[in-house]
């Protein structure tokens, strides 16, 4: 009988019932006040008159009217670079002990995003909230006695000028609470291995010693790790070595495109729970099984604003126009795409995180990630967001009974005509012309803007299928293997030319 598991499950059930109903709109007002109050004496707070904003009847209005939008370059060039020169109290009191390295999905140069003690505490608290929410998923008591394998970036952080640097997953794992270490796998020694392939090899070698109940990590890298374990031990599926595996906490990208290939590695169905942990903070997590949408963490270290994702507010490079209107949580509408704007306890202010979201339940503040502002494919008026591209790929998987865990595309100019040139990562053999025709027909039927574009500037669709491993090799070549790394779904023409050259060298 799982005595400890029953105790933990009982505590979680009671804690969840006692916590009461969340009121996200009110929580967000309190978060903004705390952020402004804490940072009012920083250089940033003085420059933008936080003290005056706090005195206003509606601080959220004064805040949006006074503080401009910031992307990483603006935030870093005007403020955060001072932190690397030894300045304190720049955009948040004191100085950060950590910087999260993030090159996102498009750049080769890592961004260095400050991570304060308050942010680490906020991430930990959000993680605890997610554990409490497990009471909604009707998991057996013995689940709470099993190991949790977290596949992130290395916890061997680099010491640089008095602070430590690494990816956010590595920073978070290096700060796990002591009570969790008994559950945490692969353990501190393996987690510190910087080389991703060596780390996965060690995981495979020790896999038989662990009783894993849950997995956590980005789907593409999780699949590779599971396949490595299966191959190393000569298994048919991962449940032959981890029979008690019941939960996978996915994050970083939409799980949908990976569902078919991921399930092929399992011996039985498991519960998939989505999370939204970015370099800038823990944004949201799935709190109930009735939906795969995620609930915004509205009482933590992040204040949210939302800009309607409309062409007139978005520049070609994915940035926002200066006067784009933002709204607060109490004014959002269900089913509308928004650009997500955050202000945080790490001193990011009205920061364009780069993701687009839509609300599936306004009262609960539940969202789905719909794409990236830079991955919005609108070169010839087709207006395709990543979620629409994901839907098209899933259609192909069903139509041709195939698995396509990775893809990328570009609106490419060929002899003065524009084509949507797709690369699909798959091990299945299907005629490329059939795929192109089916893909084109689906997009025309599902998206009116795409249909209009196809009658005008968009000449057609081209499809090339390649081995999925080439996508992982591409990220490895760019020193972005494992961790928080995600494949760029939409490339610009220059990047796409590099991609095609890389593919030609490999095949």
């Amino acid at each position: 009988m799982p005595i400890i598991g029953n105790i933990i499950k009982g505590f979680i059930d009671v804690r969840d019932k006692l916590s009461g109903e969340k009121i996200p709109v009110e929580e967000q007002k309190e978060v903004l006040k705390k952020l402004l109050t804490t940072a009012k004496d920083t250089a940033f707070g003085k420059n933008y008159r936080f003290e005056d904003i706090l005195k206003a009847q509606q601080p959220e209005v004064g805040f949006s009217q006074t503080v401009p939008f910031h992307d990483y370059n603006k935030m870093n060039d005007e403020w955060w670079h001072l932190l690397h020169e030894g300045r304190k109290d720049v955009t948040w009191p004191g100085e950060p002990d950590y910087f999260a390295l993030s090159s996102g999905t498009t750049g080769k140069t890592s961004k260095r995003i400050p991570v304060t003690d308050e942010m680490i505490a906020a991430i930990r608290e959000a993680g605890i909230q997610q554990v409490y929410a497990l009471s909604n998923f009707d998991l057996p008591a013995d689940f709470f006695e099993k190991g949790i394998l977290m596949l992130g970036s290395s916890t061997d952080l680099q010491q640089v000028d008095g602070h430590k640097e690494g990816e956010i997953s590595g920073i978070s794992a290096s700060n796990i609470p002591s009570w969790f270490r008994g559950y945490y796998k692969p353990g501190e020694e393996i987690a510190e291995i910087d080389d991703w392939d060596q780390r996965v090899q060690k995981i495979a070698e020790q896999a038989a010693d662990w009783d894993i109940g849950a997995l956590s990590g980005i789907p593409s890298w999780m699949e590779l790790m599971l396949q490595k374990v299966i191959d190393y031990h000569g298994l048919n599926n991962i449940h032959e070595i981890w029979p008690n595996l019941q939960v996978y906490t996915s994050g970083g990208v939409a799980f949908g495109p990976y569902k078919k290939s991921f399930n092929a590695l399992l011996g039985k169905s498991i519960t998939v729970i989505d999370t939204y942990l970015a370099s800038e903070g823990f944004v949201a997590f799935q709190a109930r099984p009735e939906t795969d949408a995620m609930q915004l963490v509205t009482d933590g270290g992040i204040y949210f604003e939302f800009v309607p994702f409309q062409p007139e507010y978005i520049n070609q490079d994915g940035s926002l126009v200066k006067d784009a209107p933002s709204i607060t949580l109490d004014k959002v509408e269900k089913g509308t795409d928004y650009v997500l704007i955050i202000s945080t306890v790490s001193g990011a202010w009205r920061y364009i995180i780069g993701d687009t979201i839509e609300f599936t339940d306004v009262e609960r503040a539940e969202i789905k990630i719909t794409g990236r502002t830079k991955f919005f494919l609108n070169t010839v008026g087709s207006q395709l967001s990543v979620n629409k591209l994901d839907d098209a790929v899933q259609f192909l998987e069903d139509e041709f009974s195939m698995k396509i865990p990775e893809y990328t595309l570009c609106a490419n100019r060929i002899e003065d005509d524009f084509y949507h040139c797709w690369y699909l990562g798959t091990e299945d053999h299907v005629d490329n012309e059939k795929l192109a025709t089916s893909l084109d027909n689906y997009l025309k039927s599902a998206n009116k803007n795409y249909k209009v574009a196809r009658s005008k500037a968009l000449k057609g669709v081209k499809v090339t299928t390649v081995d999925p491993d080439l996508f992982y090799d591409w990220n490895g070549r760019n020193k972005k293997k494992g961790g928080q790394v995600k494949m760029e779904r939409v490339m610009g023409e220059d990047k796409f030319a590099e991609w095609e050259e890389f593919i030609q060298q490999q095949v």
Side-chain angles (χ1 to χ4, degrees):
M1 182 178 180
I3 297 175
I4 296 176
N6 275 306
I7 293 172
I8 296 173
K9 188 177 191 304
F11 172 77
I12 290 173
D13 288 342
V14 171
R15 170 62 173 76
D16 186 62
K17 291 174 183 176
L18 293 177
S19 61
E21 289 292 322
K22 291 171 62 70
I23 307 177
V25 170
E26 295 303 316
E27 290 175 341
Q28 279 289 276
K29 290 180 181 179
E30 288 302 312
V31 168
L32 178 61
K33 287 181 182 178
K34 288 179 181 178
L35 290 173
L36 294 173
T37 300
T38 305
K40 62 183 174 62
D41 293 325
T42 64
F44 192 96
K46 290 176 181 178
N47 186 72
Y48 289 108
R49 308 190 306 278
F50 280 9
E51 198 154 354
D52 292 339
I53 294 174
L54 283 163
K55 294 175 183 176
Q57 189 171 0
Q58 294 181 298
E60 62 272 17
V61 175
F63 180 63
S64 65
Q65 291 177 345
T66 305
V67 181
F69 296 123
H70 291 79
D71 59 13
Y72 173 78
N73 290 332
K74 180 177 174 64
M75 199 81 227
N76 190 64
D77 293 347
E78 295 181 7
W79 300 98
W80 285 344
H81 75 93
L82 297 172
L83 295 170
H84 301 290
E85 299 171 9
R87 292 276 296 275
K88 298 182 180 180
D89 304 326
V90 179
T91 63
W92 193 254
E95 56 185 334
D97 289 329
Y98 301 91
F99 280 84
L101 301 181
S102 171
S103 56
T105 46
T106 55
K108 290 185 178 179
T109 303
S110 289
K111 301 174 183 177
R112 302 165 81 191
I113 298 167
V115 179
T116 60
D117 290 342
E118 291 88 343
M119 178 55 76
I120 290 173
I123 291 173
R124 183 181 296 140
E125 177 59 30
I128 292 173
Q129 287 185 30
Q130 185 176 22
V131 171
Y132 291 150
L134 289 176
S135 63
N136 298 325
F137 289 84
D138 194 28
L139 295 166
D142 63 356
F143 167 77
F144 297 94
E145 296 182 345
K146 308 304 178 185
I148 301 175
L149 176 55
M150 299 171 62
L151 186 67
S153 55
S154 171
T155 58
D156 184 21
L157 309 177
Q158 301 303 305
Q159 191 77 35
V160 181
D161 297 332
H163 62 263
K164 293 182 178 180
E165 295 185 352
E167 289 189 14
I168 191 64
S169 58
I171 293 173
S172 299
S174 68
N175 282 277
I176 59 172
S178 57
W179 61 265
F180 183 68
R181 287 175 186 159
Y183 299 92
Y184 170 61
K185 297 294 183 288
E188 296 178 38
E189 184 176 341
I190 295 177
E192 287 182 350
I193 299 174
D194 186 55
D195 183 274
W196 190 84
D197 292 306
Q198 292 180 17
R199 192 167 358 123
V200 169
Q201 177 65 28
K202 286 293 185 182
I203 289 173
E205 291 171 2
Q206 295 196 24
D209 298 331
W210 303 330
D211 187 4
I212 300 298
L215 303 170
S216 178
I218 287 178
S220 55
W221 304 113
M222 185 61 68
E223 281 191 20
L224 288 180
M225 183 276 292
L226 293 178
Q227 189 64 60
K228 181 69 174 180
V229 174
I230 290 170
D231 292 344
Y232 183 82
H233 293 277
L235 310 173
N236 293 310
N237 61 70
I238 198 64
H239 276 107
E240 291 184 358
I241 195 167
W242 294 331
N244 296 309
L245 175 61
Q246 299 179 66
V247 172
Y248 169 45
T249 302
S250 176
V253 295
F255 180 69
Y258 301 94
K259 184 176 181 180
K260 201 165 189 177
S261 56
F262 188 90
N263 286 343
L265 302 174
L266 308 178
K268 54 188 174 182
S269 62
I270 64 175
T271 299
V272 178
I273 301 175
D274 272 328
T275 61
Y276 187 177
L277 173 62
S279 298
E280 294 83 2
F282 200 145
V283 177
F285 61 85
Q286 183 182 343
R288 56 195 183 101
E290 300 90 339
T291 176
D292 56 0
M294 297 174 287
Q295 187 175 73
L296 287 174
V297 182
T298 52
D299 60 349
I302 304 177
Y303 174 70
F304 300 102
E305 296 174 85
F306 313 91
V307 173
F309 189 47
Q310 298 176 9
E312 60 266 33
Y313 303 143
I314 313 295
N315 295 315
Q316 191 63 46
D317 63 357
S319 62
L320 293 175
V321 300
K322 185 178 180 181
D323 57 351
S326 65
I327 58 176
T328 47
L329 186 58
D330 58 323
K331 295 181 176 64
V332 298
E333 296 180 353
K334 182 179 178 180
T336 299
D337 276 4
Y338 296 102
V339 179
L340 186 61
I341 310 297
I342 64 172
S343 300
T344 78
V345 291
S346 277
W349 297 103
R350 305 201 77 213
Y351 186 92
I352 306 166
I353 199 170
D355 291 326
T356 60
I357 59 98
E358 70 167 307
F359 283 84
T360 60
D361 189 314
V362 172
E363 187 176 350
R364 289 189 173 95
E366 289 181 338
I367 64 163
K368 285 187 176 182
I369 301 173
T370 57
R372 297 280 294 173
T373 56
K374 290 183 178 180
F375 293 174
F376 183 57
L377 191 59
N378 195 34
T379 306
V380 288
S382 52
Q383 296 193 26
L384 294 175
S385 57
V386 170
N387 63 323
K388 293 177 181 178
L389 302 176
D390 286 348
D391 289 344
V393 170
Q394 288 182 62
F395 168 79
L396 290 181
E397 288 188 319
D398 295 336
E399 181 77 3
F400 294 96
S401 298
M402 62 190 302
K403 296 189 289 287
I404 310 171
E406 293 290 355
Y407 72 88
T408 192
L409 72 151
C410 174
N412 208 13
R413 189 189 298 271
I414 302 174
E415 297 179 353
D416 296 326
D417 289 319
F418 274 107
Y419 290 83
H420 279 182
C421 297
W422 291 69
Y423 276 79
L424 304 178
T426 180
E427 295 179 348
D428 298 303
H429 300 287
V430 181
D431 182 76
N432 286 342
E433 291 188 9
K434 287 183 179 179
L435 289 170
T437 299
S438 186
L439 183 61
D440 188 36
N441 289 337
Y442 171 81
L443 288 170
K444 283 190 287 190
S445 66
N447 303 281
K448 63 180 181 180
N449 290 315
Y450 177 85
K451 185 176 182 179
V452 171
R454 280 289 283 113
S455 68
K456 295 180 179 179
L458 184 58
K459 188 71 174 178
V461 173
K462 294 181 180 293
V463 168
T464 304
T465 54
V466 297
D467 191 298
D469 286 346
L470 292 177
F471 288 83
Y472 311 133
D473 293 342
W474 164 262
N475 284 329
R477 187 197 73 158
N478 288 292
K479 298 182 180 179
K480 291 161 53 176
K481 199 171 185 180
Q484 299 298 110
V485 178
K486 297 153 284 193
M487 182 68 194
E488 54 264 63
R489 295 308 192 197
V490 178
M491 294 185 180
E493 289 189 62
D494 291 342
K495 190 65 169 289
F496 195 70
E498 290 181 34
W499 162 259
E500 293 204 298
E501 182 181 355
F502 170 77
I503 293 298
Q504 289 168 8
Q505 292 172 352
Q506 307 301 311
V507 298

